Amino acid sequence: MRTLLFAPVTFNLAETTRMIMIARALGPACHAVFQVYESPYVHLVRSAGFEVRQLGPGLSRREQGQVLALDQGRSLRHPFSPGLVRARVDAERRLLRETGAEAVVMGTNVTSLISARAEEVPLFYAVPFALTRPHLEQTRRLGLVTGTGPLSGVTDHVASAALRLVYGRLPIAPRAFRIVARENGVRPLRTGLELFEGDINLLTVMASELEGYHLPANYIRVGPIFAELPGEVPQLVHDLAHSDRPLVYLALGSSGNRRTALRAAHTLGELDINVIAPIRHFLTPGDVAGLPTNVHVVDLLPAHRLGGLIDAAVLHGGQGTVQTACATGVPFVGIGMQPEQAWNVAVCVRQGNAIAVSPREAGTEHLAGAVQRLLTDGSFRAAAERERLLRADEDGPAAAARAIQRHLGPARSSG
């Protein structure tokens, strides 16, 4: 039996569940060990039956917020001091030696880029296509500026060129990663791209999203990978689904925020619909009490079981929620919170199963009008059903498992 080390950022729901799905697909021939620092979604790893190793130092809630804001381009502040990065790399190297892991499968745990290479084990990165090296280098317009007029096209072209320069060429990586990489004898991490590129990159997208692109040898398409959370759909959802009002699902993943959640919930609450909203983790009890009575705030749901129960969705544009909507045939409004999410939504807009609105429009008539269009224009539902059928034979976790096993070859003999 071979041992693999999984390294998700466990305050990121999509990435934690993506790692769980791959580990599950590898089956009993693989001993999966999850290294974790922060607690928000570790319970999902434990409930899936995988071994958990708690490492430190962890990030505070405030520091976790800084990382999410950095990821969304809302701030340049970060918690990655040389001391923190050094301590994490040391802990990860010790764990690799202790477990004898043959490879690391990472989310965005950036210190794995140093520890795995220092221990000379392959590093697999399961990642959306948006903002990867081939996407950034081969896409003229990245969809950073929405709109259809000539001015928006020119502006988007300029913004895309600026992002390519800043993210792909300038040494914007926190200085700590350069320092600690040198200390561990590996190539320093300098650019934004280098912070998010493994040795083998497993692209969790449909083949249609890669048309016209040339992939380097270390990029492999494996297909969609999204959460299948345990548990049953609450009875409340079934009751609302059988009422006279349409049922709309509002989900902002782990990268949303209180302001957007409240604005979207109040806007939807003004419509003649029911809303089921797993956004409790963003809100205070007072926030929940102040929402319209047709907005029902709940904890996380097994969203992959909602097909046929909900009529439309409002999502933050994270790959996991978008792929779940596509796989279940649900049209959606996408509120991209950062460039990768905006691209995910734009792909579905082109397919006809989604409408994009900006975060600043979440509390306006733009969101309300978009939801009304989804509920009254049958073309969105038809396009969503086409997407569901296209994805029916895709098994991203199994393809990722095969790619990992193929690269590693036969398991090492214990004798």
Side-chain angles (χ1 to χ4, degrees):
M1 178 183 294
R2 67 173 17 124
T3 297
L4 297 184
L5 190 64
F6 285 78
V9 170
T10 46
F11 56 85
N12 183 310
L13 176 61
E15 146 173 342
T16 302
T17 53
R18 193 178 295 132
M19 297 292 98
I20 290 171
M21 297 298 290
I22 295 173
R24 186 178 289 152
L26 283 162
C30 169
H31 176 211
V33 178
F34 278 70
Q35 68 169 48
V36 305
Y37 289 100
E38 291 77 35
S39 62
Y41 299 113
V42 173
H43 68 282
L44 297 176
V45 180
R46 296 187 191 279
S47 66
F50 295 112
E51 180 181 348
V52 172
R53 296 291 189 95
Q54 184 73 51
L55 301 184
L59 301 179
S60 68
R61 290 285 296 274
R62 179 181 64 83
E63 290 169 332
Q64 293 172 35
Q66 286 180 346
V67 172
L68 289 174
L70 179 68
D71 179 57
Q72 294 176 9
R74 295 186 287 110
S75 172
L76 294 177
R77 300 191 65 180
H78 62 80
F80 297 114
S81 66
L84 174 74
V85 174
R86 186 178 295 116
R88 285 194 171 206
V89 168
D90 288 346
E92 291 168 13
R93 293 191 67 175
R94 286 194 300 270
L95 183 59
L96 279 165
R97 292 192 294 268
E98 179 184 337
T99 59
E102 296 182 44
V104 174
V105 185
M106 68 173 272
T108 53
N109 183 65
V110 184
T111 45
S112 291
L113 295 166
I114 300 174
S115 58
R117 288 163 179 167
E119 292 298 317
E120 299 182 335
V121 299
L123 181 64
F124 296 89
Y125 184 19
V127 61
F129 181 57
L131 301 189
T132 59
R133 185 178 300 278
H135 177 250
L136 200 66
E137 293 178 347
Q138 299 176 45
T139 306
R140 183 182 178 192
R141 286 187 55 183
L142 294 167
L144 304 176
V145 178
T146 58
T148 56
L151 181 59
S152 65
V154 172
T155 306
D156 187 44
H157 178 69
V158 172
S160 299
L163 181 61
R164 271 192 291 273
L165 173 64
V166 173
Y167 192 64
R169 296 185 179 276
L170 298 185
I172 63 171
R175 180 169 169 266
F177 291 105
R178 300 196 290 275
I179 294 172
V180 178
R182 289 192 184 98
E183 291 174 353
N184 285 268
V186 302
R187 180 171 56 85
L189 302 173
R190 300 178 59 81
T191 69
L193 271 179
E194 290 172 341
L195 289 178
F196 302 104
E197 186 172 51
D199 301 330
I200 303 294
N201 301 281
L202 307 173
L203 298 176
T204 56
V205 294
M206 293 289 289
S208 58
E209 296 179 51
L210 301 178
E211 290 179 2
Y213 289 95
H214 168 73
L215 295 183
N218 64 332
Y219 281 79
I220 303 169
R221 188 193 82 87
V222 296
I225 303 178
F226 52 89
E228 293 185 4
L229 296 179
E232 298 299 321
V233 175
Q235 185 59 43
L236 171 64
V237 177
H238 290 283
D239 293 342
L240 293 173
H242 288 92
S243 77
D244 294 334
R245 288 176 163 180
L247 180 57
V248 174
Y249 177 65
L250 169 63
L252 302 178
S254 52
S255 61
N257 55 69
R258 176 175 177 266
R259 181 172 182 269
T260 302
L262 281 173
R263 295 180 72 210
H266 278 287
T267 298
L268 296 177
E270 295 175 359
L271 301 177
D272 187 24
I273 62 175
N274 285 314
V275 181
I276 193 76
I279 57 173
R280 195 187 302 277
H281 51 297
F282 296 122
L283 306 181
T284 67
D287 292 334
V288 176
L291 290 175
T293 56
N294 60 329
V295 177
H296 304 269
V297 175
V298 295
D299 295 313
L300 294 177
L301 296 173
H304 65 293
R305 299 180 185 275
L306 294 180
L309 296 173
I310 59 176
D311 298 287
V314 176
L315 309 173
H316 68 300
Q319 192 189 56
T321 54
V322 167
Q323 289 184 343
T324 304
C326 291
T328 53
V330 176
F332 69 93
V333 176
I335 309 173
M337 311 289 288
Q338 42 100 323
E340 180 248 313
Q341 294 172 0
W343 179 266
N344 295 336
V345 175
V347 168
C348 292
V349 170
R350 291 194 295 272
Q351 293 165 173
N353 62 318
I355 299 173
V357 302
S358 69
R360 67 178 179 274
E361 295 171 333
T364 71
E365 69 277 4
H366 293 283
L367 175 61
V371 171
Q372 294 281 35
R373 284 182 63 198
L374 292 185
L375 296 175
T376 58
D377 184 340
S379 66
F380 291 101
R381 172 67 65 177
E385 178 62 13
R386 288 196 299 272
E387 283 302 304
R388 186 189 70 80
L389 294 174
L390 283 172
R391 293 162 186 262
D393 295 329
E394 290 278 333
D395 191 339
R402 288 194 298 270
I404 292 169
Q405 292 167 329
R406 186 165 58 246
H407 183 83
L408 295 179
R412 294 189 300 228
S413 172
S414 59

